Amino acid sequence: MADDPDDVFSRAHHHALAFRRGLDDSPQRPTADYRVMLDRFAQTLPDAGQPGPAVIDDLMARIRPGLAAMVGRRFFGWVMGASHPVGVAADWMVSAFGQNAGNHVASPASAAAEAVTAGWLLELLSLPREASIGFVTGATVANFVCLAAARNAVLRTADWDVEADGLFGAPPITVLIGADAHATVFSALQFLGLGSNRVLRLPTDAQGRIRPAEFAERAKAISGPSIVILQAGQINTGAFDPFAELIPAAKAAGAWVHVDGAFGLWARAAPNYAALTQGIEGADSWATDGHKWLQTPYDLGFAIVRDAEAHRRAMTIAASYLPAVAESERDPSHYVPELSRRARGLPAYAMIRHLGRGGIADMVERHCRLAARLADRLRQVEGIAIANDVVLNQIAVRFGAGLADEAADELTRRTIAALQAGGVAFAGGAQWRGRWIMRLSVISFPTTEADIDRAADAIIAAWRPIRDAN
Ligand SMILES: *Cc1c(COP(=O)(O)O)cnc(C)c1O
C-alpha cells in the first residue's frame, strides 16, 4: 500500500489549517469528554489496512470534539504556550526528515542546529556561557536531568561515584526545597532515589517565596553533600524566590543550587521583568520549557547545567557500536536520558529565528501587561478578589470575597464551571493555601488586549448570576 506522500501530507496540512481557522468561533473547551471520545475511537483491531489519506481523514473526523483550544487566543488554563505555526512547521520537518538526532556523526545537521540554539538560549536567558543544555521533553525531565547532575556532583565531593556505585551506602544528601515548589520537582527527586518526602521543606511567604531569614537559619545546619532547589515563577502566583539573598547563602554552605524556572526563567528575556530574576545566574542548574513561553509545540524543555562535565557524566551512554567522539564534540544524547531521539532543537531554533530577541522580549512583556489588565478589570467587580500579587503572567482569582472560606470555595468552583461551559474563555481551578482559586495564565502568542477584555467580560458574566443567587 504505497501512498503518494503528497496525498497524506496534504491531508494533514488541510486538516491542520481547518482546525486552526475554526478556533476563534468554537468553544475553548473540548465539547466531548473522555467517555465520548473512547466511544468515538473504539473499533475492533483492524485486520486489513487502509490507504494513508483515508486514515488521516478518519482521524480528523473522530478527534475534533475532544480537542481543547490550547492554541487559542482565550485559553488561560494551566500554563500552556500556543504551539506557534512556525514552531509547528519546523516540527513537521523534524518528523519528515526522520533523523535519529542522538549523535552528531549520524545526523550532523540536527546536532549543529541544537548546538547553535543552545548558545542562543544562554544569551537570551543571560546564563553562564559555559553551561550545557540538554533538549528534553519538558521541565519535568529538565528538573530530573539537572538534579541528576547535582546528585553526581555533590556526591563526587564526598568521593562517591554514584553513576558507577549507585546510592546504596552513599553518604546522605541534604535536599532543601521551598514548600510551594512544583509537584514535578518532587517527582524528579522520587525518580532519582532522593525521595519526594525525604527533604527539608522551607517555609514560604504569602506569594510562595522562600523566606530568607528562615533559609539562613536552615542553611547553617547544612553539612556534607547538599542540594538547594529554588523557583522562578510559582505556578499559582508567578512569584520568584529572592535569589540574590538565597543563592550566595546556599553556595557559602557548599550546596548545589538548582532553579525550576519552567516559565519564570523567561522573565530574563524581557528587560522590564528581568529584575525579578536578579541573582539567578549564580545558581548551578536551571530547568525551563520551550513549549510554554517560547511557543514551540509539545514537547520541549531545556536542562541547563553550569558544569557541563557533571551534566555529561550524569547522562552519558557509552556503547561499543556508537561512534566515538572527541571530548570537545557535542552529541545531543550526552545531555539527555534518551539515545534515539527526534531533532527536538529545530522548533526552538525556528522560533528564536522567527521572533528574535526583541520579539521574545515584546511577547513576554505584553503577556505580563495583559495579565495586569485582566486582574484590574476583575478586582473592580464586587465579590471578586485577586489572591496574588500579579508580578508576571499568572492570576489567582477568588470569588465570594468576604464570605466564609467554604462558601467562597463553592462559588469559585461554580464560577469556573460556568466560564468553561460558556466557551468564550478557558481557565481552570487550583488549590492555593488550601482554598480554591480560578487560575489564569496569559501565555499564548495570539492573545490580544481585545481577547483579554472579552475574557474579563466572560468571567464577570459567569460570576454575576452566581453572586446574585447567593
Ligand atoms: C509546567 C511546570 C513544570 C513542569 O513542566 P512540564 O513542561 O509540564 O514537564 C515544572 N515547574 C513549573 C513551575 C511549571 O510551571
Side-chain angles (χ1 to χ4, degrees):
M1 221 183 300
D3 293 308
D4 180 349
D6 191 19
D7 294 340
V8 262
F9 289 176
S10 60
R11 294 317 293 158
H13 176 232
H14 166 80
H15 292 310
L17 266 184
F19 171 72
R20 292 268 170 147
R21 286 187 174 146
L23 280 175
D24 280 359
D25 307 317
S26 52
Q28 303 281 296
R29 65 179 151 79
T31 53
D33 66 12
Y34 177 61
R35 289 272 140 219
V36 172
M37 290 311 297
L38 280 176
D39 284 342
R40 287 178 76 95
F41 275 106
Q43 302 146 78
T44 52
L45 171 68
D47 274 325
Q50 201 181 16
V55 171
I56 302 300
D57 287 347
D58 174 78
L59 178 64
M60 189 62 195
R62 290 174 200 273
I63 206 168
R64 181 60 186 93
L67 299 177
M70 289 177 181
V71 301
R73 327 167 63 89
R74 291 179 304 280
F75 191 93
F76 306 103
W78 301 280
V79 183
M80 294 178 168
S83 294
H84 193 289
V86 172
V88 171
D91 201 58
W92 283 352
M93 290 162 76
V94 168
S95 292
F97 298 151
Q99 303 293 289
N100 185 334
N103 77 68
H104 74 276
V105 177
S107 184
S110 315
E114 210 175 278
V116 168
T117 307
W120 286 354
L121 285 165
L122 295 176
E123 252 187 85
L124 266 173
L125 300 171
S126 304
L127 293 176
R129 301 302 191 267
E130 73 269 23
S132 50
I133 303 190
F135 290 67
V136 293
T137 51
T140 303
V141 177
N143 280 315
F144 165 77
V145 169
C146 290
L147 290 170
R151 187 186 64 171
N152 167 307
V154 300
L155 284 177
R156 258 178 111 79
T157 61
D159 290 323
W160 189 269
D161 181 352
V162 67
E163 271 72 51
D165 300 326
L167 282 172
F168 300 97
I173 301 176
T174 305
V175 179
L176 286 83
I177 184 168
D180 293 303
H182 197 269
T184 58
V185 184
F186 293 97
S187 311
L189 293 168
Q190 169 195 330
F191 304 153
L192 287 162
L194 296 174
S196 56
N197 244 331
R198 195 198 141 280
V199 293
L200 286 170
R201 287 179 197 241
L202 300 163
T204 49
D205 66 14
Q207 301 301 315
R209 293 173 296 217
I210 295 170
R211 297 172 184 276
E214 271 109 330
F215 177 78
E217 212 38 56
R218 302 277 177 108
K220 277 188 219 149
I222 295 179
S223 69
S226 51
I227 301 171
V228 171
I229 302 174
L230 308 179
Q231 176 165 254
Q234 207 283 335
I235 190 89
N236 292 311
T237 64
F240 293 72
D241 282 328
F243 305 111
E245 289 169 85
L246 300 183
I247 292 179
K251 298 298 290 178
W256 174 293
V257 180
H258 170 68
V259 182
D260 174 16
F263 58 100
L265 198 59
W266 290 88
R268 268 179 105 62
N272 288 325
Y273 292 84
L276 291 166
T277 68
Q278 200 201 332
I280 206 172
E281 66 281 359
D284 297 290
S285 58
W286 307 263
T288 192
D289 266 314
H291 56 222
K292 288 180 180 168
W293 237 329
L294 191 55
Q295 313 291 323
T296 72
Y298 292 98
D299 35 24
L300 182 61
F302 310 111
I304 311 172
V305 182
R306 179 195 297 276
D307 179 350
E309 223 180 293
H311 189 175
R312 189 165 163 166
R313 259 199 312 268
M315 292 291 132
T316 292
I317 301 161
S320 57
Y321 63 86
L322 295 174
V325 274
E327 280 297 304
S328 61
E329 298 296 354
R330 179 190 189 281
D331 267 349
S333 67
H334 285 152
Y335 303 98
V336 300
E338 300 89 359
L339 176 58
S340 295
R341 60 191 292 281
R342 64 196 278 102
R344 245 172 239 302
L346 284 178
Y349 168 85
M351 283 311 302
I352 298 172
R353 280 286 286 154
H354 179 58
L355 295 174
R357 191 203 291 268
I360 292 170
D362 288 350
M363 175 178 62
V364 170
E365 297 195 346
R366 178 167 54 86
H367 287 149
C368 296
R369 272 199 317 274
L370 292 177
R373 181 184 178 94
L374 182 51
D376 284 343
R377 285 278 321 268
L378 297 177
R379 74 161 63 83
Q380 284 162 24
V381 177
E382 194 195 326
I384 301 183
I386 304 300
N388 66 322
D389 294 343
V390 182
V391 293
L392 199 70
N393 66 321
Q394 301 292 108
I395 315 164
V397 193
R398 265 304 259 176
F399 297 86
L403 300 180
D405 285 344
E406 286 72 19
D409 277 349
E410 174 61 19
L411 298 190
T412 299
R413 280 202 302 267
R414 277 162 54 190
T415 306
I416 294 166
L419 176 72
Q420 292 180 357
V424 170
F426 186 97
Q431 287 212 310
W432 175 240
R433 298 287 186 252
R435 309 262 58 113
W436 279 93
I437 53 167
M438 174 190 281
R439 190 174 67 203
L440 296 130
S441 180
V442 183
I443 195 163
S444 291
F445 74 89
T447 305
T448 62
E449 203 168 272
D451 291 312
I452 288 297
D453 291 343
R454 265 187 84 184
D457 291 344
I459 294 166
I460 294 164
W463 162 239
R464 284 213 168 115
I466 291 170
R467 179 190 66 190
D468 295 346
N470 280 272

